[in-house]
Amino acid sequence: MIFPEKIKIRDVTLRDGLQNEPVFVETEQKINKIKDLISAGFDRIEVTSFVHPKWVPAMQDADLLGQNLPKVAGVEYEALVPNQRGLDRFLKSNINTAVFFLSASTKHNQANLNKSSDDSLAEIKSLVEKTKMEGRRVIGAISTAFICPFAGSVPYSEVERIADNLVSMGVDELGLGDTIGKATPREVYEYCSRLAEKFPDIPIGLHLHDTYGYGLANIMAGIQAGVHLLDVAQAGLGGCPYAPGAPGNVQAGRVVEFLELQNIKTGLKLEQLKQLDHSFSHLLRETKASTKTVQSL
């Protein structure tokens, strides 16, 4: 088995890490954390989601944040875009890449987006075209690519069908999500290797949750299968509001330490990641305490 010398790591703390939190982190504090992430070596950061704030209050400042991101050469910002209204907002931002998402499981897609997976594909097609016309990058992200919290195992054939559609639309990259952390290394290797073989010119990313402790094993399975990109979050924060049993993403520091012990470089500074674990946890504790104080007045 040949291992790569280096793997790309993307931070998703500001979006997936915060979306499930019951409190709102102020925009200025988010910008300070983005600067810390860049200092630690991240050059791909998923910063927000252009969803309606009624559904995800933690993302209510997406427009303000998207227009005030630090301008640093070589750093790419990414954001989730759920629909046409979200795209209109995204195109007014300074964010490089739109992430269009749907679920391989129609049951989860219905819970998450209130429509079938096929309906989502039809909508995404026009959104991809408009985004590409504006000269911005596009990622097609497939949630519940292995296991669905409502329907159980998701057949590979369904994941491939959706990936086929996304590639034909012109996405620059594919992402597979183990939304509830139940996928096994065998499933991750099988699905990722088959997609990598079918789409050799399309980079494949892996978004893992560590619900059952399979995260690091699944990372190695993905790397061996040809995955190009791994998502991480500081302090293991995160989760999907519409996926019961998905408490957190794989933790950045643990992933980097695990990979570098095997001589797989990440370009990230491990000591700074350990500090970020504490600073993100502290920020959330302080924000929750402050919110309780205001509510009690």
Side-chain angles (χ1 to χ4, degrees):
M1 186 67 66
I2 298 175
F3 292 94
E5 293 183 2
K6 188 174 182 179
I7 189 90
K8 178 66 71 175
I9 307 282
R10 170 175 55 195
D11 183 88
V12 299
T13 316
L14 274 298
R15 197 278 301 172
D16 196 13
L18 297 183
Q19 72 174 7
N20 222 17
E21 292 296 326
V23 293
F24 172 68
V25 176
E26 296 292 337
T27 308
E28 184 178 353
Q29 294 173 311
K30 291 177 181 175
I31 290 172
N32 288 335
K33 284 290 175 277
I34 289 169
K35 291 176 181 177
D36 290 341
L37 291 168
I38 294 170
S39 175
F42 286 101
D43 58 11
R44 288 187 63 175
I45 306 172
E46 192 176 80
V47 292
T48 193
S49 174
F50 288 97
V51 296
H52 195 292
K54 174 183 176 182
W55 303 117
V56 187
M59 303 291 110
Q60 63 188 263
D61 64 340
D63 302 284
L64 181 61
L65 180 63
Q67 292 166 11
N68 290 279
L69 293 163
K71 294 181 180 179
V72 180
V75 174
E76 294 184 10
Y77 298 115
E78 304 172 5
L80 257 64
V81 179
N83 49 36
Q84 180 60 56
R85 173 62 183 144
L87 181 61
D88 293 340
R89 296 167 62 199
F90 167 82
L91 292 175
K92 294 175 184 175
S93 76
N94 297 321
I95 299 174
N96 313 80
T97 304
V99 182
F100 297 113
F101 60 97
L102 75 160
S103 301
S105 163
T106 278
K107 285 190 176 181
H108 183 262
N109 208 72
Q110 197 73 43
N112 196 15
L113 298 172
N114 202 30
K115 61 187 72 175
S116 71
S117 297
D118 283 341
D119 286 343
S120 283
L121 279 172
E123 182 178 22
I124 287 171
K125 186 172 188 235
S126 68
L127 300 179
V128 169
E129 289 172 358
K130 292 171 184 175
T131 307
K132 300 286 280 188
M133 285 177 63
E134 294 292 329
R136 304 205 199 185
R137 293 185 73 249
V138 173
I139 297 173
I142 307 173
S143 302
T144 59
F146 308 96
I147 310 288
C148 169
F150 311 116
S153 295
V154 177
Y156 170 77
S157 57
E158 187 62 11
V159 177
E160 184 183 272
R161 183 183 74 85
I162 290 174
D164 239 330
N165 275 272
L166 292 170
V167 171
S168 69
M169 293 174 197
V171 300
D172 299 291
E173 190 174 295
L174 287 170
L176 298 185
D178 181 20
T179 308
I180 59 172
K182 271 193 171 181
T184 65
R186 179 169 182 166
E187 289 166 327
V188 170
Y189 180 82
E190 178 186 348
Y191 284 33
C192 292
S193 61
R194 292 173 72 175
L195 285 180
E197 183 176 359
K198 180 161 189 176
F199 306 112
D201 299 324
I202 303 293
I204 296 173
L206 199 53
H207 181 100
L208 299 170
H209 285 208
D210 205 19
T211 317
Y212 298 93
Y214 306 155
L216 296 181
N218 284 340
I219 279 172
M220 288 311 300
I223 289 174
Q224 291 169 351
V227 163
H228 298 77
L229 173 75
L230 301 170
D231 284 352
V232 299
Q234 308 307 314
L237 294 172
C240 175
Y242 303 100
N249 296 284
V250 287
Q251 184 179 346
R254 289 186 67 225
V255 171
V256 170
E257 186 171 37
F258 176 71
L259 293 176
E260 296 201 346
L261 281 171
Q262 300 172 85
N263 294 319
I264 301 174
K265 302 302 180 186
T266 63
L268 299 171
K269 301 168 186 174
L270 184 56
E271 288 307 310
Q272 286 184 235
L273 295 184
K274 292 178 181 178
Q275 293 170 14
L276 279 168
D277 275 348
H278 294 296
S279 68
F280 267 97
S281 297
H282 178 74
L283 172 61
L284 284 174
R285 283 196 303 270
E286 290 292 303
T287 304
K288 289 173 183 176
S290 175
T291 301
K292 286 181 181 178
T293 300
V294 171
Q295 290 174 343
S296 66
L297 294 177

